[in-house]
Amino acid sequence: MALNPNKDVKLYYSIKEVAEMFGLSESTLRFWEKKFPQLKPKTVSSNKVRQYTSADIDLVRQIYSLVKVRGFRLDSARKLLTQNPSGVDKNAEILERLINVREGLKQLKQQLGDME
């Protein structure tokens, strides 16, 4: 039997889990679902529970980057995602990497300051 390295990866995430990932409220995610037609999580018909896939989470990450990090208005972000989704994805990925590098440099600076 082959070992699955992605054993901890889930197929579906609840709206609460996705909201916690990005530090958003659940109502913000519901609002974004109305504003961004691309964002359509699966709903379980019995009690309308939203189930986000990893593709949905990637789209939320792009929207978050445009709206919360870069300061785009919702209409502009929707237009940009519609016209050039691959460009937005690349920019979001680059921005996330830069933020991680900045955090790492801050930690390194703090460690060097503690050594003095």
Side-chain angles (χ1 to χ4, degrees):
M1 179 186 296
L3 179 64
N4 183 359
N6 295 325
K7 189 165 61 171
D8 295 331
V9 177
K10 294 169 54 174
L11 292 178
Y12 297 105
Y13 296 85
S14 70
I15 191 169
K16 182 177 182 178
E17 291 172 315
V18 176
E20 287 174 359
M21 284 180 198
F22 295 97
L24 299 169
S25 66
E26 294 174 27
S27 61
T28 299
L29 286 174
R30 286 188 208 99
F31 183 71
W32 283 1
E33 288 173 18
K34 292 177 185 175
K35 292 293 183 180
F36 295 90
Q38 306 94 322
L39 184 59
K40 293 290 180 201
K42 178 181 173 185
T43 55
V44 177
S45 61
S46 62
N47 37 350
K48 302 286 184 181
V49 175
R50 289 169 169 82
Q51 295 181 330
Y52 290 81
T53 64
S54 58
D56 294 326
I57 293 172
D58 288 340
L59 183 57
V60 170
R61 182 174 290 114
Q62 291 175 9
I63 295 169
Y64 181 87
S65 174
L66 288 171
V67 174
K68 298 292 186 179
V69 177
R70 296 175 64 190
F72 280 76
R73 293 180 180 252
L74 292 178
D75 291 336
S76 300
R78 180 178 54 239
K79 189 175 186 180
L80 193 59
L81 276 171
T82 303
Q83 292 176 350
N84 189 8
S86 62
V88 172
D89 187 34
K90 289 178 186 176
N91 288 340
E93 184 179 321
I94 291 168
L95 187 60
E96 189 173 333
R97 285 184 187 173
L98 287 173
I99 289 170
N100 290 336
V101 168
R102 180 177 65 189
E103 292 303 316
L105 289 172
K106 283 181 181 179
Q107 290 175 356
L108 185 60
K109 181 180 177 183
Q110 183 180 9
Q111 289 173 354
L112 289 174
D114 291 343
M115 294 175 85
E116 292 180 31

